[in-house]
Tab-separated table of all heavy atoms in Angstrom:
chain	number	residue	atom	x	y	z
A	1542	TYR	N	-24.671	-23.437	-51.433
A	1542	TYR	CA	-24.386	-24.632	-52.216
A	1542	TYR	C	-22.950	-24.597	-52.724
A	1542	TYR	O	-22.318	-25.647	-52.784
A	1542	TYR	CB	-25.373	-24.703	-53.387
A	1542	TYR	CG	-25.481	-26.109	-53.943
A	1542	TYR	CD1	-26.042	-27.135	-53.186
A	1542	TYR	CD2	-25.039	-26.396	-55.235
A	1542	TYR	CE1	-26.147	-28.393	-53.691
A	1542	TYR	CE2	-25.141	-27.697	-55.698
A	1542	TYR	CZ	-25.686	-28.689	-54.954
A	1542	TYR	OH	-25.803	-29.981	-55.473
A	1543	GLY	N	-22.425	-23.417	-52.994
A	1543	GLY	CA	-21.018	-23.301	-53.356
A	1543	GLY	C	-20.126	-23.738	-52.199
A	1543	GLY	O	-19.071	-24.371	-52.382
A	1544	ALA	N	-20.480	-23.399	-50.947
A	1544	ALA	CA	-19.757	-23.805	-49.802
A	1544	ALA	C	-19.755	-25.310	-49.627
A	1544	ALA	O	-18.762	-25.915	-49.242
A	1544	ALA	CB	-20.314	-23.124	-48.539
A	1545	VAL	N	-20.918	-25.933	-49.931
A	1545	VAL	CA	-21.012	-27.407	-49.896
A	1545	VAL	C	-20.028	-28.019	-50.895
A	1545	VAL	O	-19.302	-28.976	-50.599
A	1545	VAL	CB	-22.457	-27.877	-50.180
A	1545	VAL	CG1	-22.496	-29.389	-50.282
A	1545	VAL	CG2	-23.395	-27.412	-49.060
A	1546	ILE	N	-20.021	-27.488	-52.116
A	1546	ILE	CA	-19.081	-27.999	-53.132
A	1546	ILE	C	-17.624	-27.881	-52.664
A	1546	ILE	O	-16.822	-28.801	-52.775
A	1546	ILE	CB	-19.286	-27.244	-54.458
A	1546	ILE	CG1	-20.665	-27.512	-55.010
A	1546	ILE	CG2	-18.234	-27.624	-55.503
A	1546	ILE	CD1	-21.053	-26.618	-56.173
A	1547	ALA	N	-17.284	-26.719	-52.128
A	1547	ALA	CA	-15.927	-26.489	-51.608
A	1547	ALA	C	-15.585	-27.421	-50.511
A	1547	ALA	O	-14.477	-27.948	-50.407
A	1547	ALA	CB	-15.759	-25.009	-51.215
A	1548	CYS	N	-16.573	-27.700	-49.604
A	1548	CYS	CA	-16.326	-28.618	-48.474
A	1548	CYS	C	-16.111	-30.051	-48.976
A	1548	CYS	O	-15.260	-30.778	-48.457
A	1548	CYS	CB	-17.494	-28.571	-47.527
A	1548	CYS	SG	-17.559	-27.083	-46.483
A	1549	VAL	N	-16.939	-30.468	-49.986
A	1549	VAL	CA	-16.747	-31.782	-50.501
A	1549	VAL	C	-15.366	-31.903	-51.152
A	1549	VAL	O	-14.687	-32.958	-50.957
A	1549	VAL	CB	-17.838	-32.096	-51.566
A	1549	VAL	CG1	-17.573	-33.429	-52.274
A	1549	VAL	CG2	-19.216	-32.145	-50.891
A	1550	LEU	N	-14.917	-30.908	-51.881
A	1550	LEU	CA	-13.579	-30.918	-52.434
A	1550	LEU	C	-12.492	-31.005	-51.379
A	1550	LEU	O	-11.557	-31.809	-51.478
A	1550	LEU	CB	-13.387	-29.694	-53.338
A	1550	LEU	CG	-11.998	-29.517	-53.920
A	1550	LEU	CD1	-11.573	-30.665	-54.764
A	1550	LEU	CD2	-11.949	-28.243	-54.764
A	1551	LEU	N	-12.625	-30.186	-50.356
A	1551	LEU	CA	-11.613	-30.171	-49.272
A	1551	LEU	C	-11.631	-31.486	-48.544
A	1551	LEU	O	-10.590	-31.994	-48.128
A	1551	LEU	CB	-11.877	-29.031	-48.349
A	1551	LEU	CG	-10.828	-28.786	-47.226
A	1551	LEU	CD1	-9.430	-28.725	-47.817
A	1551	LEU	CD2	-11.134	-27.547	-46.439
A	1552	GLY	N	-12.838	-32.110	-48.337
A	1552	GLY	CA	-12.879	-33.390	-47.694
A	1552	GLY	C	-12.177	-34.456	-48.543
A	1552	GLY	O	-11.452	-35.290	-48.040
A	1553	GLY	N	-12.330	-34.391	-49.885
A	1553	GLY	CA	-11.595	-35.295	-50.743
A	1553	GLY	C	-10.092	-35.080	-50.689
A	1553	GLY	O	-9.332	-36.062	-50.691
A	1554	GLN	N	-9.688	-33.814	-50.646
A	1554	GLN	CA	-8.251	-33.543	-50.532
A	1554	GLN	C	-7.656	-34.043	-49.242
A	1554	GLN	O	-6.551	-34.577	-49.202
A	1554	GLN	CB	-8.018	-32.028	-50.628
A	1554	GLN	CG	-8.280	-31.441	-52.047
A	1554	GLN	CD	-8.182	-29.926	-52.105
A	1554	GLN	OE1	-8.406	-29.275	-51.099
A	1554	GLN	NE2	-7.799	-29.429	-53.256
A	1555	SER	N	-8.430	-33.930	-48.149
A	1555	SER	CA	-7.956	-34.443	-46.850
A	1555	SER	C	-7.824	-35.970	-46.877
A	1555	SER	O	-6.824	-36.535	-46.384
A	1555	SER	CB	-8.963	-34.065	-45.730
A	1555	SER	OG	-8.981	-32.644	-45.593
A	1556	LEU	N	-8.797	-36.620	-47.532
A	1556	LEU	CA	-8.701	-38.086	-47.637
A	1556	LEU	C	-7.502	-38.488	-48.495
A	1556	LEU	O	-6.831	-39.473	-48.164
A	1556	LEU	CB	-9.995	-38.608	-48.313
A	1556	LEU	CG	-11.164	-38.950	-47.381
A	1556	LEU	CD1	-12.330	-39.439	-48.212
A	1556	LEU	CD2	-10.793	-40.032	-46.352
A	1557	LYS	N	-7.229	-37.766	-49.586
A	1557	LYS	CA	-6.116	-38.068	-50.435
A	1557	LYS	C	-4.801	-37.899	-49.657
A	1557	LYS	O	-3.868	-38.726	-49.797
A	1557	LYS	CB	-6.089	-37.203	-51.658
A	1557	LYS	CG	-4.938	-37.523	-52.602
A	1557	LYS	CD	-4.906	-36.584	-53.789
A	1557	LYS	CE	-3.658	-36.905	-54.664
A	1557	LYS	NZ	-3.508	-35.981	-55.777
A	1558	TYR	N	-4.739	-36.872	-48.863
A	1558	TYR	CA	-3.552	-36.591	-48.051
A	1558	TYR	C	-3.329	-37.741	-47.091
A	1558	TYR	O	-2.190	-38.231	-46.897
A	1558	TYR	CB	-3.708	-35.261	-47.313
A	1558	TYR	CG	-2.433	-34.564	-46.901
A	1558	TYR	CD1	-2.084	-33.393	-47.521
A	1558	TYR	CD2	-1.589	-35.109	-45.963
A	1558	TYR	CE1	-0.917	-32.720	-47.162
A	1558	TYR	CE2	-0.427	-34.443	-45.596
A	1558	TYR	CZ	-0.066	-33.255	-46.212
A	1558	TYR	OH	1.100	-32.626	-45.842
A	1559	ILE	N	-4.408	-38.188	-46.416
A	1559	ILE	CA	-4.298	-39.308	-45.476
A	1559	ILE	C	-3.830	-40.567	-46.222
A	1559	ILE	O	-3.012	-41.342	-45.720
A	1559	ILE	CB	-5.678	-39.520	-44.807
A	1559	ILE	CG1	-6.037	-38.378	-43.898
A	1559	ILE	CG2	-5.663	-40.843	-43.992
A	1559	ILE	CD1	-7.463	-38.386	-43.399
A	1560	TYR	N	-4.344	-40.802	-47.434
A	1560	TYR	CA	-3.948	-41.948	-48.244
A	1560	TYR	C	-2.476	-41.910	-48.609
A	1560	TYR	O	-1.806	-42.928	-48.508
A	1560	TYR	CB	-4.844	-41.950	-49.496
A	1560	TYR	CG	-4.430	-42.957	-50.524
A	1560	TYR	CD1	-4.709	-44.283	-50.363
A	1560	TYR	CD2	-3.790	-42.558	-51.723
A	1560	TYR	CE1	-4.319	-45.256	-51.367
A	1560	TYR	CE2	-3.432	-43.459	-52.712
A	1560	TYR	CZ	-3.703	-44.814	-52.526
A	1560	TYR	OH	-3.314	-45.724	-53.454
A	1561	ARG	N	-1.985	-40.739	-48.967
A	1561	ARG	CA	-0.582	-40.602	-49.335
A	1561	ARG	C	0.332	-40.849	-48.127
A	1561	ARG	O	1.458	-41.373	-48.283
A	1561	ARG	CB	-0.309	-39.237	-49.929
A	1561	ARG	CG	-0.966	-38.989	-51.270
A	1561	ARG	CD	-0.736	-37.603	-51.728
A	1561	ARG	NE	0.685	-37.323	-52.036
A	1561	ARG	CZ	1.158	-36.141	-52.378
A	1561	ARG	NH1	0.359	-35.101	-52.502
A	1561	ARG	NH2	2.453	-36.000	-52.629
A	1562	LEU	N	-0.145	-40.428	-46.968
A	1562	LEU	CA	0.654	-40.648	-45.758
A	1562	LEU	C	0.662	-42.100	-45.304
A	1562	LEU	O	1.594	-42.576	-44.667
A	1562	LEU	CB	0.147	-39.778	-44.632
A	1562	LEU	CG	0.336	-38.275	-44.796
A	1562	LEU	CD1	-0.417	-37.492	-43.701
A	1562	LEU	CD2	1.797	-37.868	-44.759
A	1563	SER	N	-0.437	-42.820	-45.614
A	1563	SER	CA	-0.603	-44.200	-45.093
A	1563	SER	C	-0.169	-45.245	-46.089
A	1563	SER	O	-0.051	-46.431	-45.667
A	1563	SER	CB	-2.118	-44.403	-44.767
A	1563	SER	OG	-2.563	-43.420	-43.895
A	1564	SER	N	0.000	-44.898	-47.343
A	1564	SER	CA	0.282	-45.899	-48.359
A	1564	SER	C	1.400	-45.465	-49.281
A	1564	SER	O	1.489	-44.271	-49.627
A	1564	SER	CB	-0.977	-46.209	-49.173
A	1564	SER	OG	-0.675	-47.091	-50.263
A	1565	SER	N	2.262	-46.417	-49.673
A	1565	SER	CA	3.325	-46.083	-50.656
A	1565	SER	C	2.810	-46.028	-52.060
A	1565	SER	O	3.460	-45.467	-52.950
A	1565	SER	CB	4.447	-47.089	-50.496
A	1565	SER	OG	3.919	-48.426	-50.763
A	1566	LYS	N	1.632	-46.624	-52.259
A	1566	LYS	CA	1.073	-46.606	-53.619
A	1566	LYS	C	0.213	-45.332	-53.787
A	1566	LYS	O	-0.431	-44.869	-52.841
A	1566	LYS	CB	0.138	-47.790	-53.836
A	1566	LYS	CG	0.830	-49.133	-53.695
A	1566	LYS	CD	-0.117	-50.332	-53.915
A	1566	LYS	CE	0.621	-51.647	-53.760
A	1566	LYS	NZ	-0.334	-52.762	-53.916
A	1567	GLU	N	0.269	-44.753	-54.993
A	1567	GLU	CA	-0.500	-43.555	-55.262
A	1567	GLU	C	-1.338	-43.756	-56.521
A	1567	GLU	O	-1.274	-42.962	-57.457
A	1567	GLU	CB	0.402	-42.368	-55.379
A	1567	GLU	CG	1.101	-41.999	-54.072
A	1567	GLU	CD	1.778	-40.660	-54.122
A	1567	GLU	OE1	1.508	-39.870	-55.069
A	1567	GLU	OE2	2.587	-40.347	-53.234
A	1568	SER	N	-2.073	-44.861	-56.526
A	1568	SER	CA	-2.840	-45.183	-57.744
A	1568	SER	C	-4.203	-44.483	-57.803
A	1568	SER	O	-4.765	-44.313	-58.897
A	1568	SER	CB	-3.058	-46.703	-57.809
A	1568	SER	OG	-3.726	-47.173	-56.602
A	1569	MET	N	-4.690	-44.011	-56.654
A	1569	MET	CA	-6.004	-43.384	-56.634
A	1569	MET	C	-5.912	-41.867	-56.984
A	1569	MET	O	-4.924	-41.213	-56.632
A	1569	MET	CB	-6.652	-43.562	-55.300
A	1569	MET	CG	-7.030	-45.039	-54.972
A	1569	MET	SD	-7.869	-45.184	-53.399
A	1569	MET	CE	-9.428	-44.342	-53.767
A	1570	GLN	N	-6.918	-41.376	-57.668
A	1570	GLN	CA	-6.958	-39.963	-58.079
A	1570	GLN	C	-7.810	-39.165	-57.111
A	1570	GLN	O	-8.640	-39.708	-56.375
A	1570	GLN	CB	-7.539	-39.896	-59.488
A	1570	GLN	CG	-6.819	-40.760	-60.532
A	1570	GLN	CD	-5.452	-40.208	-60.842
A	1570	GLN	OE1	-5.312	-39.057	-61.218
A	1570	GLN	NE2	-4.420	-41.047	-60.663
A	1571	LEU	N	-7.651	-37.839	-57.177
A	1571	LEU	CA	-8.378	-36.946	-56.313
A	1571	LEU	C	-9.910	-37.127	-56.443
A	1571	LEU	O	-10.588	-37.157	-55.427
A	1571	LEU	CB	-8.010	-35.481	-56.575
A	1571	LEU	CG	-8.772	-34.405	-55.815
A	1571	LEU	CD1	-8.609	-34.585	-54.290
A	1571	LEU	CD2	-8.340	-33.024	-56.231
A	1572	TYR	N	-10.383	-37.272	-57.661
A	1572	TYR	CA	-11.825	-37.353	-57.841
A	1572	TYR	C	-12.400	-38.573	-57.174
A	1572	TYR	O	-13.581	-38.557	-56.749
A	1572	TYR	CB	-12.214	-37.326	-59.330
A	1572	TYR	CG	-11.927	-38.621	-60.080
A	1572	TYR	CD1	-12.911	-39.618	-60.106
A	1572	TYR	CD2	-10.721	-38.849	-60.730
A	1572	TYR	CE1	-12.679	-40.800	-60.803
A	1572	TYR	CE2	-10.479	-40.003	-61.437
A	1572	TYR	CZ	-11.448	-41.014	-61.467
A	1572	TYR	OH	-11.192	-42.187	-62.108
A	1573	GLN	N	-11.607	-39.646	-57.024
A	1573	GLN	CA	-12.089	-40.826	-56.337
A	1573	GLN	C	-12.298	-40.548	-54.843
A	1573	GLN	O	-13.244	-41.043	-54.239
A	1573	GLN	CB	-11.118	-41.960	-56.540
A	1573	GLN	CG	-11.014	-42.439	-58.002
A	1573	GLN	CD	-9.906	-43.428	-58.257
A	1573	GLN	OE1	-8.742	-43.133	-58.056
A	1573	GLN	NE2	-10.255	-44.641	-58.655
A	1574	PHE	N	-11.374	-39.761	-54.260
A	1574	PHE	CA	-11.516	-39.428	-52.846
A	1574	PHE	C	-12.708	-38.489	-52.640
A	1574	PHE	O	-13.400	-38.528	-51.644
A	1574	PHE	CB	-10.226	-38.817	-52.350
A	1574	PHE	CG	-9.061	-39.740	-52.297
A	1574	PHE	CD1	-8.082	-39.624	-53.294
A	1574	PHE	CD2	-8.978	-40.697	-51.326
A	1574	PHE	CE1	-7.007	-40.522	-53.232
A	1574	PHE	CE2	-7.886	-41.591	-51.308
A	1574	PHE	CZ	-6.923	-41.512	-52.255
A	1575	VAL	N	-12.928	-37.603	-53.601
A	1575	VAL	CA	-14.083	-36.729	-53.531
A	1575	VAL	C	-15.359	-37.540	-53.549
A	1575	VAL	O	-16.300	-37.282	-52.821
A	1575	VAL	CB	-14.051	-35.705	-54.720
A	1575	VAL	CG1	-15.386	-34.947	-54.836
A	1575	VAL	CG2	-12.895	-34.723	-54.577
Side-chain angles (χ1 to χ4, degrees):
Y1542 201 66
V1545 173
I1546 296 169
C1548 285
V1549 172
L1550 174 57
L1551 186 53
Q1554 289 175 331
S1555 296
L1556 272 178
K1557 182 184 177 184
Y1558 205 112
I1559 293 169
Y1560 172 74
R1561 292 177 65 185
L1562 292 171
S1563 306
S1564 174
S1565 58
K1566 300 179 181 179
E1567 295 192 13
S1568 57
M1569 294 183 67
Q1570 304 290 303
L1571 175 60
Y1572 76 88
Q1573 294 171 299
F1574 294 104
V1575 170

